[in-house]
Amino acid sequence: ELAASSVIIVDMVKDRRVTQAAAPAAEGALWNAYREGSRFFMQAGDVYDTLRELAGRLNNEGLDYALIGGMALVAHGYRRFTEAVDILMTKETLQAFRDRLVGRGYVPAFNGAARSFRDVRTGVRIEVCTTGDYPGDGKPKPVAFPDPSQSRFERDGLWLITLEKLIELKLASGLSARHRLKDLSDVQDLILRLKLPADYAAKLACVRAIAAL
């Protein structure tokens, strides 16, 4: 059932009768999109404020990261906001984050939390995924979280996961864990809303391997 979903998603890309992908948020407009959407969906803009402060502090500390999850979807042109900020780091960078910033505006989200933190000022949760771990059910599979420095690009001072890698990770997550089916829905919505070109499926060669899980 889940394997069939991956085939359907890839076929959706192949069947698009378009030649160009829709443009993502324009340069300089990304933070406005975050701010406006965050205030609309979350009333106070706390997620936007948390992301902006976190990105600035990570950049100042020289800590490599890439934004993933719902806020990354916004950057790629699909507005679906969440109540948390999801960040990709290497395990070494995560340790540096703990050493330098935890206790200085950020605290563990709960006792014993190693990768979940909370912004003390806003109360917004920050979830960290680490390089080499596996999305979805956490079990070994053809797709793992990459080194952020190898799968990101910069816009408006924010480091974002590439669209190809974001789709790949969401497919791996949704296909391996039934409680993550929303990730498959996100991919379908990205295909439709961004009007991805037919040849985009070639960039998702991993999907067939994921479907065999």
Side-chain angles (χ1 to χ4, degrees):
E1 178 182 341
L2 292 179
S5 297
S6 70
V7 176
I8 291 172
I9 290 171
V10 175
D11 287 343
M12 286 176 66
V13 178
K14 291 181 176 179
D15 289 342
R16 296 303 305 174
R17 297 294 185 254
V18 296
T19 57
Q20 291 184 323
E27 292 290 336
L30 179 57
W31 289 111
N32 286 334
Y34 279 140
R35 182 173 59 251
E36 293 170 5
S38 183
R39 285 176 178 166
F40 178 78
F41 287 103
M42 268 72 81
Q43 289 78 51
D46 287 342
V47 176
Y48 158 83
D49 291 338
T50 299
L51 173 59
R52 186 148 203 170
E53 176 69 15
L54 177 63
R57 296 188 70 178
L58 292 175
N59 290 338
N60 289 340
E61 292 288 339
L63 300 179
D64 284 343
Y65 71 93
L67 180 66
I68 58 177
M71 298 299 275
L73 291 172
V74 178
H76 287 293
Y78 169 37
R79 293 195 180 190
R80 181 181 76 74
F81 289 85
T82 67
E83 296 180 352
V85 174
D86 299 299
I87 295 289
L88 172 64
M89 296 176 171
T90 64
K91 291 178 174 63
E92 294 77 15
T93 300
L94 173 58
Q95 185 58 53
F97 174 81
R98 293 194 195 103
D99 294 341
R100 301 182 198 177
L101 297 178
V102 171
R104 300 179 180 178
Y106 305 102
V107 296
F110 52 89
N111 288 336
R115 303 181 186 183
S116 296
F117 306 92
R118 182 171 53 83
D119 184 308
V120 173
R121 182 175 58 87
T122 65
V124 170
R125 196 152 165 158
I126 298 166
E127 300 288 349
V128 179
C129 295
T130 53
T131 302
D133 289 337
Y134 299 100
D137 59 6
K139 298 177 181 179
K141 55 179 62 67
V143 175
F145 286 105
D147 184 326
S149 67
Q150 303 300 313
S151 301
R152 65 178 185 171
F153 66 99
E154 187 271 339
R155 183 188 298 154
D156 293 345
L158 183 64
W159 287 100
L160 306 162
I161 192 79
T162 63
L163 179 59
E164 293 89 347
K165 188 58 67 174
L166 178 63
I167 290 177
E168 183 179 275
L169 291 170
K170 281 189 167 291
L171 284 173
S173 175
L175 290 170
S176 64
R178 291 185 179 275
H179 69 282
R180 299 291 307 182
L181 291 177
K182 176 60 179 171
D183 287 325
L184 295 182
S185 175
D186 285 340
V187 173
Q188 291 174 324
D189 287 339
L190 277 169
I191 292 170
L192 295 174
R193 297 194 183 199
L194 301 188
K195 299 180 180 178
L196 297 177
D199 60 2
Y200 197 87
K203 300 180 180 181
L204 301 177
C206 68
V207 175
R208 303 293 180 180
I210 297 171
L213 292 175

